[in-house]
Each structure stands twice: as C-alpha cells, then as structure tokens.
Amino acid sequence: MTATATVTLKRGALYLTYDVYDRYFAGLETVILLRRDRDLCILPVKHAAAGGYLLKLRNTAGDRVVNAPDFFRECGIDESIALELPATWSSAHGALVAVGVFEL
C-alpha cells in the first residue's frame, strides 16, 4: 500500500477531495464500492457501462461525492454516522482501501 488519503463518510455518501479524485480516479465517472471483511474498497471503473456508483461533481474545486446510502445501509453503517476515513491505494486489490470501516 502507498501514501494515505482521506475520504469522508456522512449521510450515506462518500466524499472525495479533488486531490484524492485526481490521484486515484482521474477522468472516471464511476466507482464500485465493495466490502471486504471489515474494509471498504473503492475500485475505479474504466467503462461507465460496467455499472457502479457515480462520482458526482460536488463543487467548482472539483471535489466528488458518491451517493450510496443503500450500500452503507446493507453493510450496517447508520446514516447518522460521520467519519473521516484514512485510505491507502492497494495494488493487490486495485482499489483505494479504507481499513476497518465495518468494525464500527
């Protein structure tokens, strides 16, 4: 794994700063959210037709938001929870991984 980034989880949505988006998901429109045991994996999707959650533009700074209340609800994360999640890129998983998210 490499350098740590931070993503924010609140109200069933995942917030990515422009820097995080640009470093790991530049030019992409969708991601897949995957629960691997206690970890959250955010996988880039190269072709939007493959599915996934939209990386919606949040503001003029280029920050993005992924609205996924259904995913987090199914994983047992209450929508009232707000968390700053440290995440690192895993080449083995091909994803940005936030460790221990589902231990809460």
Side-chain angles (χ1 to χ4, degrees):
M1 296 208 187
T2 60
T4 302
T6 301
V7 296
T8 302
L9 172 61
K10 64 181 176 181
R11 292 188 303 274
L14 200 59
Y15 294 83
L16 289 77
T17 63
Y18 172 76
D19 291 337
V20 171
Y21 167 77
D22 189 51
R23 186 179 324 154
Y24 302 108
F25 307 106
L28 300 179
E29 296 178 4
T30 57
V31 293
I32 292 174
L33 301 180
L34 180 65
R35 179 179 181 167
R36 285 215 166 123
D37 298 319
R38 60 189 192 94
D39 303 337
L40 170 64
C41 297
I42 309 164
L43 293 93
V45 176
K46 301 291 183 191
H47 302 286
Y53 291 96
L54 288 175
L55 280 162
K56 296 180 183 178
L57 185 61
R58 184 168 178 243
N59 56 31
T60 57
D63 297 341
R64 300 295 199 272
V65 63
V66 177
N67 289 309
D70 56 333
F71 171 80
F72 291 109
R73 196 175 312 115
E74 288 176 19
C75 292
I77 300 291
D78 189 306
E79 287 187 35
S80 65
I81 292 176
L83 301 168
E84 294 287 319
L85 306 171
T88 52
W89 182 260
S90 168
S91 296
H93 292 97
L96 189 61
V97 179
V99 176
V101 172
F102 301 108
E103 287 184 333
L104 306 172

